[in-house]
Amino acid sequence: MARFSRPVLVVEGSPPRAVRESRFDSGGYVREYSDSPWIQNDDDAEHAAEGTQQPMTDYQKEDDDAQKKKRIVGGFQQLPMVSPSYEIIESALKRADRVGYNKKLKNEGARAKNRAARQLDTLMKELTKPLGKYENGFIHPDALHPFERALLSLSVGEDRYLHAVEGVVSLRKSVVGVAKGYAGRCSKSPTKKEALDLRDEGFSQVESTYKRYSYVVEELKEIAKSLRKLPVVDPDVTTVALVGAPNVGKSSLVQLLSSGLPEVQNYPFTTRSIKVGHFFVNTERYQVTDTPGLLHRADEDRNQMEMLTLASLQYLKTSVLFVMDLTGECGTTLYDQWRIREELLERFPEKQWIDVFSKADILEEELDRADELLAARTPIQSDIDGRLCSGSLTAVDMACLIPHAARVSSITGDGTDSLKERMIAMFDTAT
């Protein structure tokens, strides 16, 4: 049961609105609005979407729950297309102007009053219909999968998102209030002239009200555009997350392992968002994600890209390929890469994990030396401990500390087949 308090929209010049609590529960489902916590059960809710409010049967609730589950994942790609605000008002005015007379009414004054009221009603409906569609289509953060909610917070920001949708709710309510008021006065006006004057005044007031706050529609349009660019990651599909410091070769590995084609550049934080590829093992589909690089520092000092990586590990069913560059070319020291690895192992102890040394084609001498030391059982631990304390680890030290790391070259392709075999074995162990 999702439950939340609605924030108050503070817009200069907008009418005050009361704080109200909405909830999903066994008696509170509204058929058309089950996914839209923005909509309140007040008199103008009928204008938020087509249809009427009806209690749902048990069968309908089951179907509705299934639909909500479908929307929870990949919800940003299902956001409605938001039209430019000027197109909405222009279209509404044209449709309202085309409203004809009721030929069944014989009295000229009655026909004029009836048409004036229906014109205002049409203008209201044509404006509130798209606004209601946006209310219904922009899912509340409480209903998002935790990973997608993290994406929302780290991209456009949850407060900005809430403020924009609540702004559309407020705009719709204002339009309904003004239009209904003038439509009622038109239908009750004593003369044809007064009805037409009220209609023109009502048109002007509705248009003025809409245009005054139409910037919230433009804001929602930009938010939707940003959210649709976010990665689509299925949390129910086993995911291999390539994690490590910036520029260690994660993007190149994704190209070798999957269908993903991330950009490959030689500067920190090349990956500005999570990029997703896929591969199949015995018809089973797996996801490979290329995550932004992590630096060795406290969470409060990390940027949004780094927090996006941590969110993917926290909220997705991920196995980890921790990629390290021992050449010294990536811009992050071996000691810092070691400390990042230790932090993540402590933070996510339940994750399946494979260590990977990238750029192995230019590390042959160092890797061979480490193999010799390990084979000869040379007592080197105290020396390595000393370099750990001083933060001056070498490539040989790292290869000795992590002897079972996969050694891969994205240039020659060496080691990729054995890495895939280890990944398959890891998946088999998980099942």
Side-chain angles (χ1 to χ4, degrees):
M1 179 171 67
R3 180 173 179 163
F4 56 91
S5 295
R6 294 163 54 99
V8 176
L9 173 66
V10 180
V11 180
E12 184 178 357
S14 65
R17 304 193 303 111
V19 177
R20 184 176 298 185
E21 184 178 62
S22 303
R23 62 174 63 89
F24 293 125
D25 57 36
S26 59
Y29 280 94
V30 178
R31 180 58 179 159
E32 283 75 23
Y33 316 136
S34 58
D35 282 331
S36 180
W38 318 106
I39 296 178
Q40 303 180 28
N41 291 322
D42 51 16
D43 292 338
D44 65 347
E46 62 186 281
H47 302 290
E50 293 183 346
T52 58
Q53 300 178 3
Q54 300 176 1
M56 291 164 51
T57 65
D58 290 340
Y59 176 80
Q60 288 173 323
K61 287 179 182 178
E62 290 177 6
D63 178 65
D64 192 70
D65 287 341
Q67 291 300 318
K68 283 197 288 183
K69 286 180 181 178
K70 290 180 182 178
R71 292 194 61 195
I72 284 172
V73 177
F76 297 143
Q77 279 63 45
Q78 299 178 37
L79 293 175
M81 298 297 295
V82 180
S83 300
S85 59
Y86 70 87
E87 287 186 4
I88 297 174
I89 185 64
E90 287 178 0
S91 174
L93 288 169
K94 288 178 182 178
R95 287 180 179 271
D97 189 57
R98 290 200 295 264
V99 172
Y101 290 99
N102 186 343
K103 296 180 179 179
K104 293 181 180 180
L105 296 175
K106 303 303 182 182
N107 182 276
E108 182 179 351
R111 285 201 306 270
K113 289 189 288 184
N114 176 268
R115 179 175 184 253
R118 287 191 295 113
Q119 282 183 301
L120 283 163
D121 187 63
T122 298
L123 178 61
M124 175 187 69
K125 288 180 178 178
E126 291 300 319
L127 288 175
T128 58
K129 183 177 179 179
L131 298 180
K133 178 183 175 184
Y134 306 152
E135 293 176 33
N136 201 31
F138 278 75
I139 191 168
H140 193 279
D142 286 350
L144 291 171
H145 183 276
F147 176 65
E148 291 196 334
R149 186 165 190 171
L151 287 178
L152 172 63
S153 296
L154 295 168
S155 53
V156 302
E158 194 168 305
D159 287 344
R160 180 187 173 197
Y161 179 89
L162 288 167
H163 190 82
V165 180
E166 286 287 343
V168 169
V169 173
S170 181
L171 174 58
R172 178 181 63 79
K173 288 178 177 290
S174 297
V175 167
V176 168
V178 174
K180 273 189 171 182
Y182 275 96
R185 292 170 64 187
C186 282
S187 62
K188 297 177 182 178
S189 59
T191 65
K192 172 183 175 181
K193 180 179 184 308
E194 185 175 338
L196 296 178
D197 288 343
L198 284 170
R199 179 200 61 185
D200 293 343
E201 183 181 338
F203 264 59
S204 177
Q205 288 298 316
V206 170
E207 183 177 2
S208 175
T209 298
Y210 178 85
K211 288 183 175 180
R212 188 181 310 132
Y213 303 116
S214 62
Y215 66 87
V216 298
V217 178
E218 298 300 323
E219 170 75 347
L220 199 64
K221 185 174 184 291
E222 291 304 310
I223 287 174
K225 188 186 302 183
S226 298
L227 292 177
R228 287 194 197 95
K229 296 177 182 178
L230 294 176
V232 181
V233 180
D234 189 340
D236 294 326
V237 174
T238 299
T239 303
V240 181
L242 276 74
V243 184
N247 204 32
V248 294
K250 299 186 297 295
S251 297
S252 300
L253 271 179
V254 169
Q255 294 187 48
L256 291 174
L257 296 173
S258 76
S259 62
L261 293 174
E263 60 180 330
V264 180
Q265 298 291 339
N266 192 35
Y267 52 85
F269 295 105
T270 304
T271 306
R272 294 179 179 85
S273 65
I274 290 179
K275 295 179 174 63
V276 183
H278 302 87
F279 66 94
F280 291 83
V281 177
N282 299 327
T283 72
E284 187 76 18
R285 184 170 69 96
Y286 297 90
Q287 294 174 137
V288 180
T289 63
D290 174 26
T291 61
L294 292 171
L295 296 179
H296 173 45
R297 52 186 175 182
D299 279 356
E300 54 266 27
D301 296 325
R302 284 181 164 138
N303 60 32
Q304 289 184 319
M305 291 179 288
E306 293 175 276
M307 298 308 293
L308 187 59
T309 295
L310 296 176
S312 70
L313 295 178
Q314 181 174 353
Y315 297 120
L316 297 178
K317 186 171 64 176
T318 51
S319 301
V320 175
L321 294 189
F322 189 79
V323 185
M324 291 163 280
D325 176 6
L326 309 188
T327 66
E329 296 178 351
C330 70
T332 303
T333 66
L334 300 187
Y335 173 76
D336 280 350
Q337 292 183 61
W338 171 264
R339 295 301 297 159
I340 295 167
R341 176 181 181 272
E342 292 296 290
E343 176 199 345
L344 296 182
L345 283 170
E346 181 178 353
R347 198 163 183 162
F348 305 104
E350 77 288 352
K351 297 288 185 186
Q352 292 185 303
W353 189 287
I354 296 176
D355 290 299
V356 180
F357 293 154
S358 64
K359 308 177 187 179
D361 55 303
I362 54 177
L363 286 167
E364 291 182 358
E365 183 176 337
E366 291 84 353
L367 296 177
D368 287 344
R369 175 58 179 159
D371 291 341
E372 292 172 1
L373 292 172
L374 292 169
R377 299 176 181 266
T378 305
I380 57 174
Q381 188 62 51
S382 60
D383 292 338
I384 294 178
D385 288 343
R387 286 189 287 274
L388 261 175
C389 291
S390 64
S392 56
L393 287 173
T394 67
V396 175
D397 293 336
M398 291 286 278
C400 290
L401 286 168
I402 315 172
H404 302 297
R407 302 171 180 183
V408 178
S409 169
S410 59
I411 302 298
T412 66
D414 290 343
T416 54
D417 289 340
S418 60
L419 176 58
K420 290 178 181 179
E421 291 174 2
R422 290 182 62 177
M423 291 167 61
I424 293 171
M426 178 173 65
F427 301 145
D428 290 342
T429 301
T431 55

